[in-house]
Amino acid sequence: MALASLHQRLTGTLGQAAQHADDEVRAFEKELIRQAGATADETDPDPGFPVPEKSDLLAPAVLDPLSRKTIQAEGAHETAKADLRTAQSQIPYADALGTALEAASRQAAVWKSVSDQLTDGKFLTYLTDQRTHALLRHGSRILRQISMGDYAFTDDFQILERATNHARDPETLSGGETFQSSLALALALVELHNTSHNKLESLFLDEGFGSLDNIRLGDTLAVLSDSVAQDKRVIVISHLFPVAEVVDNVLLINKTGQGSTAAWLTPQQRTAAIHDGIQRLLENT
């Protein structure tokens, strides 16, 4: 009875094992057939292998092609791992190269822009604009000095009333304001020219001082005195005797019936001429 019971249990166990083995074989057969009919892709252009119909799946005719494919796949896997290691080792260099390429690209864009601007028309226009802006910048500073801070230049040569921040057309200026503006630009031109390698040492001013009131005349003459102190020669032609007070060298021109006479005045003669001229003006008013 014990043997019969053991026989029954063993028979059941063997039956289960046989069924499991049969399932495994069928699953293997199904997977083998699926792999054998695999289609080509970018990783394996020839993935399939032949499986004879109605043959033992464990027969050499079936397993040999599978074995070769396995060996090929393992070799490809090792090659891929080596390529991956090589690629990973190159990542820092690739990053550095990418950063360098980006910087070079930005620099190339800058030089391309410079190259575009260096054409004859654009470059000359750029230089002209830069010199014009510098001239107006210096001119505005001088104009503020001689106009008691009332006026400055705009970027397009308009006159800016600083109290109202309103731009005026130069044609709307009075005679004195026009003279001050012209004088500011002239002195600015001398100052700007002296910043280059060439030095402009002389400036001729013909009249215009008579259009200024006493305060503006004093401010203007003070600016001219500063200009002379900066190694510039300013030649002023004027009939106003107060102008002579700020000029070291005075050439007095007198008109007579026989013609005109010219003489350089000594400091004493200059003082006397200024006094006499002012006295005559007072007598005529």
Side-chain angles (χ1 to χ4, degrees):
M1 291 177 63
L3 289 175
S5 176
L6 178 60
H7 176 269
Q8 186 177 3
R9 289 200 306 272
L10 291 176
T11 300
T13 301
L14 288 174
Q16 293 175 357
Q19 183 63 44
H20 180 71
D22 187 61
D23 292 340
E24 289 288 334
V25 170
R26 293 183 181 280
F28 173 74
E29 180 181 12
K30 183 177 180 180
E31 178 63 20
L32 185 64
I33 293 174
R34 189 183 72 82
Q35 293 291 343
T39 58
D41 57 24
E42 59 183 9
T43 61
D44 190 352
D46 185 23
F49 52 89
V51 177
E53 295 183 3
K54 298 180 181 180
S55 62
D56 183 3
L57 296 180
L58 298 179
V62 176
L63 295 181
D64 288 348
L66 176 60
S67 178
R68 287 194 296 270
K69 279 294 180 183
T70 301
I71 294 173
Q72 293 173 1
E74 290 174 348
H77 179 252
E78 292 300 324
T79 300
K81 288 199 299 183
D83 292 342
L84 177 60
R85 288 192 297 269
T86 301
Q88 289 175 334
S89 67
Q90 296 297 323
I91 288 177
Y93 302 103
D95 291 341
L97 181 59
T99 301
L101 286 174
E102 290 178 1
S105 195
R106 291 193 297 269
Q107 188 65 39
V110 171
W111 287 116
K112 177 63 168 57
S113 176
V114 172
S115 176
D116 293 340
Q117 293 297 327
L118 286 178
T119 58
D120 290 340
K122 289 184 178 180
F123 187 55
L124 291 178
T125 300
Y126 170 79
L127 291 179
T128 301
D129 290 343
Q130 293 300 308
R131 295 289 285 183
T132 300
H133 292 158
L135 175 65
L136 289 172
R137 185 171 60 255
H138 291 294
S140 289
R141 174 176 50 79
I142 297 173
L143 183 56
R144 287 195 298 270
Q145 291 176 332
I146 63 180
S147 67
M148 296 184 295
D150 291 341
Y151 301 113
F153 289 105
T154 66
D155 290 340
D156 55 353
F157 288 92
Q158 298 287 304
I159 303 299
L160 178 67
E161 288 186 347
R162 301 183 68 222
T164 62
N165 202 34
H166 175 70
R168 293 174 52 185
D169 191 289
E171 294 182 358
T172 65
L173 300 177
S174 65
E177 293 167 341
T178 300
F179 172 72
Q180 286 181 317
S181 301
S182 300
L183 178 62
L185 286 177
L187 293 177
L189 182 62
V190 174
E191 184 175 316
L192 185 63
H193 192 78
N194 286 346
T195 60
S196 61
H197 295 292
N198 298 320
K199 190 173 183 180
L200 187 62
E201 297 180 348
S202 300
L203 176 65
F204 289 83
L205 300 176
D206 187 4
E207 273 301 343
F209 295 96
S211 59
L212 303 176
D213 57 38
N214 290 334
I215 296 178
R216 294 183 185 275
L217 177 61
D219 291 339
T220 301
L221 293 176
V223 172
L224 283 176
S225 297
D226 292 340
S227 299
V228 174
Q230 295 171 7
D231 298 330
K232 302 184 185 69
R233 182 182 295 109
V234 179
I235 295 90
V236 179
I237 302 174
S238 178
H239 66 280
L240 296 180
F241 286 97
V243 175
E245 291 182 316
V246 298
V247 178
D248 294 332
N249 301 310
V250 177
L251 180 65
L252 181 63
I253 309 295
N254 283 318
K255 183 178 181 181
T256 67
Q258 292 76 31
S260 298
T261 62
W264 290 103
L265 302 183
T266 65
Q268 295 78 11
Q269 291 173 331
R270 182 184 66 174
T271 301
I274 293 171
H275 180 270
D276 293 343
I278 294 176
Q279 187 65 36
R280 286 197 300 269
L281 290 175
L282 294 175
E283 292 174 355
N284 293 332
T285 58

